[in-house]
Amino acid sequence: MKELGKVYGINGPVVYVKGRTLFQMAEKVFVGRQKLIGEVISLNSKMTTIQVYEETSGMKPGEPVYSTGYPMSVILGPGILNNIFDGIERPLKDIEKISGDFIKKGVEVTPLNTEKKWQVHLLVAVGQEVLGGTIIAEVPETKTIMHKAMVPPNVEGTVIEIANDGEYTIEETIVKIQQLDLSIIDVKLAQEWPIRIPRPVSKRYESTIPLVTGQRVVDTLFPIAKGGTAAIPGGFGTGKTMMQHQIAKYSDADIIIYIGCGERGNEMTEVLEDFSKLEDPKSGNSLMERTALIANTSNMPVAAREASIYTGVTLAEYYRDMGYDVAIMADSTSRWAEALRELSGRLEEMPAEEGFPAYLASRIASFYERAGLMQNLNETEGSVSIIGAVSPQGGDFSEPVTQQTKRFVRCFWGLDKALAYERHYPAIHWLKSYSEYVGDLAAWYRDNVSPDFVSNRSQLMEILHQESALMEVVKLIGNDVLPDDQKLTIEIARVIRLGFLQQNAFHADDTAVPLDKQAKMMAIILYLREKCRSLIAIGMPMSLLLNEDIFPKIISIKYDVPNDKLELLDNYYEQIDLFYNKIMEKNA
Amino acid sequence: MAIEYLGLDSINGPLVVLEGIQDAAYDDIVEFVVEREEHKLGRIIEMYENKAVIQVFESTANMSLDNTHTKLTGHAMELPLAPEILGRTFDGIGRPIDGLGEINYVVKRDVNGLPMNPVSREYPRNFIQTGVSAIDALTTLIRGQKLPIFSGDGLPHDQLAAQIVRQASLKTEEEEEFGIVFAAMGVKHDVADYFKRTFEESGVLDHVTMFLNLADDPVVERLITPKVALTAAEYLAFDLGMHILVVMTDMTSYCEALREVSASKQEIPSRKGYPGYLYSDLASLYERAGILADKPGSVTQIPILTMPNDDITHPIPDLTGYITEGQIVLDRSLEGKSIYPPINVLPSLSRLMKDGIGKGFTREDHQDVANQLFASYSRVTDARSLASVIGEDELSDIDKKYIEFGNKFEREFIGQEKDESRSIEETLEKAWELLRILPRHELDRIDTELLNQYYKVGR
Ligand SMILES: Nc1ncnc2c1ncn2[C@@H]1O[C@H](COP(=O)(O)OP(=O)(O)OP(=O)(O)O)[C@@H](O)[C@H]1O
Ligand SMILES: [Mg+2]
């Protein structure tokens, strides 16, 4: 750490050093007497500009600025999971120990515990050739996740020394590698990686496997692939955070990285409290054992908000490299974009739309580009899926962040204010949303769920579209004048909306639903439609059909059939037949 | 510290520039003496070598480049605190204005506060009964929540806030202490007086700390008012272990002051001239609510804002809604029907109610009843607009029922007297009375067992 300059000017999170300096672009620096962490964001012969990740109040011109020689990086190693960090990977529990209930600035903490001894089992032998990414050891990081220590991506050579199986800290050397140029590299459990540079992979695949979330409107109507990207735009209170919590809890990813980017403190507390208590359906352990949280709440420094997104995605890539399926929840990417805008404004850059900098689109693109199903350097396969909330100003999807995001994601789960007002949750609007993965995943659904899953899905969508057209008419003249087959469409659409799309996150069974149940519920609804259609075809009026209680019965399948008693679903076909026969007998 | 600088280098709106100063820190407070007698405060908002850009908290009207002495205080804005601030009244930057003298302070705190560590928080779960049905049943207030009132000019937000403060039974069984912090920003004298009278009448005045920046007080000063108020609230809550309810009105004036300063700094605006950092700035206030796991006490916020043009998508309500844990939205058309409180329940929301209601908190049927009221009332809107096209007589029977339900819901459930305090049981009973207007099979948000239990009773 070398002093390379002195503070000249301070404007919020932006600090200037005057004159020509030896700093490097994107270098991590320590600013001022309190050694606040910062990053060099522009350099010219007159001025070096630094963004500071902590509050700068109290800083004076003339204070020293130190160089580190390294770009902004994170430490990657065991201890990331079951932990909560701020935007630049400082563990909040350690900060609490030093600074109490409120976060003071300039607190010095290491990202990962350097004293803890981990149980290490070596997987390489002396003399073995290794490449970047080669897995050299296994460490049970949490009850759920086996951590795999890897050769850093840019290292390759021959193993010349290994440690014995046993307990090591993240700073102890476990393998020595001699590279081609004869230099010797000490490989430890932890490695460092710059947050703004994607970790390298060998190959990118088209994903054909869904990330199963247990949320019907997602899995059935607008599925996302493992390694896919999705945006959840919606005005305040429409359910972005709830949706991300649900996916973080119930999706079949191996690992969850949850980034609270400029959102509420209580929401992070909620995740911490809930996830520690909730059981991971896959392993039976607590959900936190497969989760890492990154929290830059809305009242924490704005520059660290900009970094938090990159910190999160770098952690995710690291676990992907081990061969895991990782899902990132980023809530909310708009706050990240606004942090870019705020910093850009302080730098007096030329703004493009609504004050956002012109590079907004390229930043959003390069973030989502880091998702994907990959063949890793070590030939394992892993994926990073990114699900980003978008908080459009005024709830208006035509604003720049929503529009730019739409260009780079393949799932768009548009939340609707009117649905949220009537408490139809999740408020994902079926007419405003889409998934480009439906085709890619069709074969998987056919082989693993049911042969007619995809065609049933299309029928559901079709009914919903017809309903919306019919409702335009109903708004003007009322329901009564419609012919019975159209009334039926409206009633079936109602069953779909209330009984299928609406899903109660607070109901023990309904909160997450296996794909089998989703497929069967869908098939039952369509069977009901088929039977009603034939009744109407022979002249039975809709009002007669509605007198029977079959419609409410089908609507409450979601509550009445527990997820572990799916055999009960078969009864519903009988009940629909009974209803059919009853109408026929009574009115024939 | 005691160096005084004579003169200024420029004055532009609320901003002054002073060059040639030494040892000044970013964000520090400076004191000005104008014409040797008038004292003003300012804050360094940009610092370059020996040049400081200072935002003056009071009017710069009588300042000249020569008549002002500037002194550095060497610290950020601080508020003197002691238990005796309860029952006292201060101006918008925390100076006593009730003639009872200075505070014998125990501590002084930086008014900017520090972010609460999310791992130190406790998730709020305790129901506060306000006695207002629309709030208790549908947008339940939870201790430690930030729940704003979105209002419009001329709507009775002050009455509602006062009623909540009066009726909120903040005490639990353990006789915990409660207090109220009231912050006024740019409101008229009669509003401040109204609140004062309300506190007096309900006999809680000695539990209230008031910070008043009124309409004729300096505009820039109100940028500090919520900060001093919240600093006082945090002290009372987390040092003294009290349950503090903070009422802040009017956040719109605060935001306008922020815009004014931003404009004079010639910053690039985002929407409607408001600075790009309005979200972060508001968050630094609203996030100062909550509960700490290892301390007694809590800070609950009820900010009040008037939506310009009644427009909920205006940046002030919009950004507020993105930060707070819900909102209570007042509506001019309900006011037009003489319904008090004119709460439009559909856009209103309490995000924390899900964990603070139900069995063991309020009543087992609470969540389902709330969902059903929302769903049914939103059907009323459809039925009404159809009626306006084809006439009410032409409506189907079920739509007629919805209209009946809607009218009664507005008059009897939302509507209540300004001094009427309903228990949560009374509120839920009323809700069932209304739901019984609708046929049972229309109630698709309520668990079958709860329907069995509650739908028939009383018929
Ligand atoms: N799936 C759901 N089931 C039940 N309730 C829900 C669901 N989704 C949302 N809600 C309700 O809506 C409220 C708001 O949801 P949420 O906090 O997710 O909104 P948001 O879109 O993240 O808002 P903001 O942008 O302000 O953060 C929740 O507190 C909850 O009451
Ligand atoms: Mg949210």
Side-chain angles (χ1 to χ4, degrees):
Chain A
M1 206 166 74
K2 211 164 66 200
E3 183 182 328
L4 282 190
K6 290 200 185 306
V7 172
Y8 160 75
I10 308 143
N11 177 4
V14 176
V15 166
Y16 300 97
V17 178
K18 203 170 176 177
R20 203 184 175 92
T21 64
L22 291 173
F23 290 110
Q24 298 164 23
M25 187 62 186
E27 179 181 350
K28 175 178 172 177
V29 293
F30 291 101
V31 185
R33 271 194 294 272
Q34 286 191 292
K35 301 211 176 74
L36 307 183
I37 297 172
E39 181 179 0
V40 177
I41 53 173
S42 93
L43 280 171
N44 61 41
S45 60
K46 294 197 187 78
M47 198 75 84
T48 299
T49 311
I50 295 166
Q51 68 177 9
V52 181
Y53 291 122
E54 296 176 77
E55 285 300 329
T56 50
S57 48
M59 190 180 287
K60 294 174 182 173
E63 292 191 27
V65 183
Y66 304 96
S67 149
T68 65
Y70 294 103
M72 270 309 285
S73 302
V74 284
I75 306 286
L76 301 167
I80 291 173
L81 296 179
N82 197 358
N83 209 340
I84 176 168
F85 302 97
D86 75 358
I88 48 173
E89 209 201 11
R90 295 186 307 168
L92 288 171
K93 284 179 194 147
D94 293 348
I95 292 182
E96 186 188 37
K97 274 183 215 137
I98 298 171
S99 98
D101 295 329
F102 295 86
I103 302 175
K104 299 197 183 86
K105 61 185 170 171
V107 178
E108 273 183 68
V109 288
T110 56
L112 300 179
N113 189 332
T114 51
E115 273 147 37
K116 181 172 164 117
K117 297 256 187 192
W118 297 92
Q119 190 64 46
V120 180
H121 170 55
L122 272 295
L123 296 173
V124 286
V126 172
Q128 189 177 330
E129 301 288 322
V130 292
L131 300 170
T134 303
I135 296 172
I136 52 169
E138 282 186 338
V139 179
E141 181 179 358
T142 65
K143 280 192 212 124
T144 314
I145 296 298
M146 181 62 82
H147 193 101
K148 303 193 175 144
M150 294 170 289
V151 177
N154 37 15
V155 173
E156 64 177 88
T158 314
V159 174
I160 53 166
E161 205 179 310
I162 60 168
N164 295 325
D165 283 4
E167 297 201 323
Y168 299 93
T169 68
I170 58 166
E171 289 185 328
E172 286 172 294
T173 301
I174 53 168
V175 170
K176 280 188 196 255
I177 294 170
Q178 185 167 48
Q179 304 203 92
L180 273 181
D181 63 359
L182 299 185
S183 62
I184 293 181
I185 305 281
D186 292 347
V187 182
K188 304 167 181 174
L189 285 181
Q191 50 180 281
E192 212 168 333
W193 191 262
I195 58 174
R196 297 185 199 276
I197 299 177
R199 284 175 67 87
V201 294
S202 347
K203 207 157 70 192
R204 182 184 275 275
Y205 292 116
E206 277 297 293
S207 179
T208 51
I209 302 174
L211 179 76
V212 180
T213 65
Q215 311 302 304
R216 287 185 293 264
V217 57
V218 170
D219 292 346
T220 300
L221 290 194
F222 309 111
I224 174 174
K226 288 210 168 83
T229 49
I232 318 180
F236 59 83
T238 48
K240 299 177 289 296
T241 304
M242 281 291 294
M243 196 64 198
Q244 297 210 331
H245 283 192
Q246 289 296 98
I247 297 176
K249 285 177 190 165
Y250 300 111
S251 75
D252 64 350
D254 299 311
I255 290 182
I256 302 289
I257 307 288
Y258 192 102
I259 313 169
C261 177
E263 293 290 308
R264 302 172 184 84
N266 273 332
E267 287 174 349
M268 300 313 292
T269 312
E270 184 184 11
V271 174
L272 265 181
E273 287 184 13
D274 280 8
F275 282 33
S276 306
K277 278 184 237 142
L278 276 173
E279 201 175 272
D280 172 1
K282 260 173 49 179
S283 66
N285 301 320
S286 121
L287 272 175
M288 273 311 287
E289 311 264 322
R290 66 155 192 184
T291 307
L293 307 178
I294 299 188
N296 175 281
T297 58
S298 56
N299 55 343
M300 290 189 192
V302 64
R305 187 164 313 160
E306 194 269 329
S308 66
I309 289 281
Y310 296 103
T311 300
V313 73
T314 309
L315 301 189
E317 287 173 343
Y318 177 59
Y319 283 94
R320 174 207 64 205
D321 288 348
M322 301 177 200
Y324 290 115
D325 291 318
V326 187
I328 297 182
M329 308 295 136
D331 186 12
S332 157
T333 60
S334 294
R335 305 302 164 220
W336 166 62
E338 284 160 13
L340 284 179
R341 174 172 68 187
E342 184 170 338
L343 293 163
S344 163
R346 302 233 187 217
L347 299 176
E348 294 175 16
E349 293 172 339
M350 253 320 254
E353 260 178 294
E354 296 197 17
F356 285 103
Y359 46 79
L360 175 70
S362 63
R363 294 284 170 93
I364 292 177
S366 58
F367 168 59
Y368 283 105
E369 205 44 38
R370 291 175 76 167
L373 172 65
M374 310 292 191
Q375 186 181 63
N376 296 316
L377 295 181
N378 56 25
E379 308 215 320
T380 58
E381 264 179 36
S383 66
V384 172
S385 313
I386 301 183
I387 295 164
V390 182
S391 316
Q393 302 180 357
D396 172 5
F397 289 2
S398 67
E399 59 88 44
V401 183
T402 316
Q403 283 307 313
Q404 298 298 355
T405 303
K406 212 170 176 176
R407 289 171 55 198
F408 304 115
V409 298
R410 295 187 62 200
C411 272
F412 189 81
W413 300 328
L415 297 174
D416 182 70
K417 216 174 196 168
L419 288 178
Y421 282 3
E422 64 182 73
R423 270 60 177 175
H424 171 112
Y425 294 123
I428 295 179
H429 200 288
W430 44 95
L431 301 179
K432 289 187 193 165
S433 305
Y434 59 80
S435 162
E436 292 174 7
Y437 296 109
V438 176
D440 302 355
L441 302 175
W444 189 93
Y445 277 103
R446 188 187 58 223
D447 299 342
N448 294 280
V449 190
S450 117
D452 42 13
F453 189 91
V454 177
S455 65
N456 282 355
R457 173 199 176 269
S458 310
Q459 288 194 50
L460 234 57
M461 285 303 287
E462 206 177 302
I463 297 169
L464 291 167
H465 275 94
Q466 286 168 359
E467 183 217 19
S468 125
L470 289 174
M471 289 315 278
E472 291 301 311
V473 181
V474 172
K475 253 186 224 151
L476 294 177
I477 54 172
N479 193 341
D480 283 355
V481 291
L482 292 184
D484 279 313
D485 61 333
Q486 295 188 349
K487 279 187 190 153
L488 175 65
T489 302
I490 289 182
E491 286 308 320
I492 294 293
R494 178 162 181 265
V495 176
I496 295 171
R497 281 193 285 114
L498 300 182
F500 192 84
L501 298 180
Q502 229 178 67
Q503 189 168 351
N504 187 344
F506 307 128
H507 188 280
D509 273 302
D510 202 33
T511 186
V513 179
L515 275 180
D516 265 353
K517 184 171 171 187
Q518 301 188 24
K520 288 188 172 144
M521 284 170 71
M522 180 160 66
I524 291 169
I525 295 172
L526 292 172
Y527 185 69
L528 174 68
R529 175 165 87 136
E530 192 188 310
K531 285 292 173 184
C532 291
R533 264 185 162 174
S534 39
L535 288 171
I536 283 173
I538 55 172
M540 304 286 177
M542 193 62 214
S543 52
L544 206 65
L545 312 196
L546 282 177
N547 276 340
E548 304 300 321
D549 63 354
I550 190 73
F551 286 86
K553 245 187 211 155
I554 302 294
I555 289 175
S556 56
I557 290 182
K558 57 179 183 178
Y559 296 146
D560 295 343
V561 178
N563 294 339
D564 54 2
K565 292 221 179 78
L566 295 190
E567 64 280 4
L568 294 178
L569 286 168
D570 299 334
N571 300 341
Y572 285 91
Y573 289 95
E574 275 166 47
Q575 299 202 32
I576 293 171
D577 288 340
L578 274 173
F579 147 81
Y580 178 86
N581 295 338
K582 188 170 158 200
I583 301 254
M584 286 298 273
E585 275 164 31
K586 268 210 216 154
N587 307 286
Chain B
M1 278 303 136
I3 308 176
E4 276 193 24
Y5 300 91
L6 176 60
L8 298 170
D9 292 278
S10 79
I11 305 175
N12 174 15
L15 302 182
V16 302
V17 173
L18 180 60
E19 294 188 34
I21 56 172
Q22 317 238 300
D23 213 31
Y26 172 72
D27 211 26
D28 272 6
I29 293 296
V30 299
E31 281 172 22
F32 301 103
V33 184
V34 184
E35 294 286 4
R36 302 211 166 272
E37 49 183 39
E38 196 190 342
H39 289 255
K40 295 178 196 278
L41 291 179
R43 183 174 75 97
I44 300 180
I45 56 169
E46 277 175 54
M47 192 64 227
Y48 300 97
E49 209 150 36
N50 55 12
K51 167 181 153 192
V53 181
I54 305 167
Q55 169 188 325
V56 184
F57 292 132
E58 285 154 80
S59 163
T60 49
N62 57 347
M63 294 169 93
S64 79
L65 296 182
D66 304 316
N67 73 355
T68 303
H69 286 256
T70 309
K71 201 166 73 184
L72 301 176
T73 64
H75 55 73
M77 180 90 177
E78 288 177 334
L79 183 70
L81 293 161
E84 69 187 62
I85 60 170
L86 281 173
R88 299 290 305 270
T89 303
F90 303 86
D91 72 0
I93 50 176
R95 295 175 296 207
I97 48 169
D98 50 8
L100 300 174
E102 295 293 319
I103 297 294
N104 267 322
Y105 62 88
V106 181
V107 285
K108 276 186 167 186
R109 288 269 159 81
D110 182 342
V111 301
N112 294 306
L114 290 170
M116 230 186 235
N117 192 328
V119 305
S120 313
R121 282 180 184 266
E122 181 180 309
Y123 192 73
R125 290 201 161 79
N126 289 331
F127 163 67
I128 298 178
Q129 180 170 306
T130 66
V132 178
S133 290
I135 296 176
D136 289 350
L138 300 174
T139 50
T140 319
L141 178 64
I142 302 290
R143 181 187 282 167
Q145 185 173 21
K146 35 190 181 290
L147 187 63
I149 299 177
F150 287 10
S151 185
D153 290 319
L155 294 179
H157 41 266
D158 294 328
Q159 283 93 318
L160 179 60
Q163 187 175 7
I164 294 172
V165 171
R166 259 194 332 263
Q167 295 177 180
S169 25
L170 279 156
K171 280 186 227 168
T172 61
E173 302 88 63
E174 306 141 42
E175 272 293 307
E176 288 161 309
E177 276 201 88
F178 78 97
I180 295 157
V181 171
F182 178 77
M185 291 151 283
V187 301
K188 295 193 211 85
H189 284 265
D190 53 344
V191 172
D193 290 343
Y194 171 78
F195 276 97
K196 193 161 187 172
R197 216 167 42 244
T198 309
F199 299 141
E200 218 157 17
E201 280 163 11
S202 39
V204 292
L205 202 53
D206 55 346
H207 282 267
V208 183
T209 303
M210 311 236 290
F211 294 90
L212 304 180
N213 167 282
L214 301 177
D216 51 1
D217 287 332
V219 169
V220 184
E221 182 182 298
R222 63 187 66 133
L223 289 178
I224 293 295
T225 310
K227 295 193 171 85
V228 289
L230 289 163
T231 304
E234 282 172 348
Y235 169 75
L236 295 170
F238 304 126
D239 285 45
L240 305 186
M242 301 172 72
H243 293 296
I244 301 299
L245 193 60
V246 184
V247 177
M248 304 194 284
T249 183
D250 175 345
M251 291 307 293
T252 304
S253 308
Y254 171 84
C255 296
E256 279 163 357
L258 201 67
R259 176 170 66 176
E260 194 174 319
V261 172
S262 170
S264 54
K265 283 200 268 181
Q266 292 173 343
E267 290 171 335
I268 302 159
S270 62
R271 261 197 319 159
K272 302 217 163 159
Y274 289 91
Y277 50 80
L278 181 60
Y279 175 84
S280 301
D281 190 279
L282 285 173
S284 74
L285 305 176
Y286 296 140
E287 274 292 312
R288 293 173 80 173
I291 304 180
L292 290 170
D294 65 349
K295 295 215 168 73
S298 62
V299 175
T300 308
Q301 281 188 23
I302 304 189
I304 299 172
L305 60 86
T306 44
M307 300 182 278
N309 263 325
D310 293 350
D311 176 10
I312 196 168
T313 68
H314 183 281
I316 298 172
D318 189 49
L319 295 179
T320 298
Y322 273 123
I323 302 163
T324 52
E325 286 147 346
Q327 63 278 339
I328 295 168
V329 183
L330 303 191
D331 183 90
R332 210 167 285 284
S333 71
L334 286 174
E335 162 85 352
K337 294 183 193 171
S338 312
I339 288 164
Y340 172 89
I343 297 176
N344 184 356
V345 298
L346 294 180
S348 300
L349 171 73
S350 162
R351 293 154 196 269
L352 299 186
M353 75 184 273
K354 60 186 163 53
D355 296 295
I357 62 168
K359 209 170 175 168
F361 296 99
T362 53
R363 210 169 79 177
E364 52 184 351
D365 55 330
H366 190 158
Q367 184 72 59
D368 282 12
V369 166
N371 287 344
Q372 188 64 59
L373 289 173
F374 283 122
S376 302
Y377 186 57
S378 66
R379 271 280 309 258
V380 173
T381 321
D382 297 339
R384 280 182 183 158
S385 54
L386 185 58
S388 72
V389 181
I390 61 175
E392 203 166 319
D393 292 342
E394 298 299 313
L395 289 181
S396 64
D397 289 346
I398 184 71
D399 280 340
K400 283 183 187 151
K401 290 251 186 272
Y402 272 106
I403 301 262
E404 181 192 348
F405 165 81
N407 293 341
K408 285 205 169 136
F409 176 74
E410 287 169 0
R411 284 193 197 294
E412 296 169 19
F413 188 85
I414 298 177
Q416 65 185 72
E417 296 301 318
K418 291 198 174 74
D419 55 1
E420 182 183 358
S421 180
R422 298 180 189 152
S423 73
I424 183 69
E425 288 78 19
E426 286 173 299
T427 290
L428 290 173
E429 279 318 312
K430 235 182 199 21
W432 278 107
E433 249 170 61
L434 295 169
L435 289 175
R436 286 185 204 111
I437 297 173
L438 301 171
R440 182 173 159 146
H441 61 77
E442 285 293 308
L443 306 184
D444 48 36
R445 302 296 178 93
I446 302 182
D447 188 271
T448 319
E449 270 171 41
L450 291 173
L451 269 179
N452 290 342
Q453 189 181 339
Y454 290 99
Y455 186 73
K456 289 214 186 69
V457 182
R459 262 242 139 146

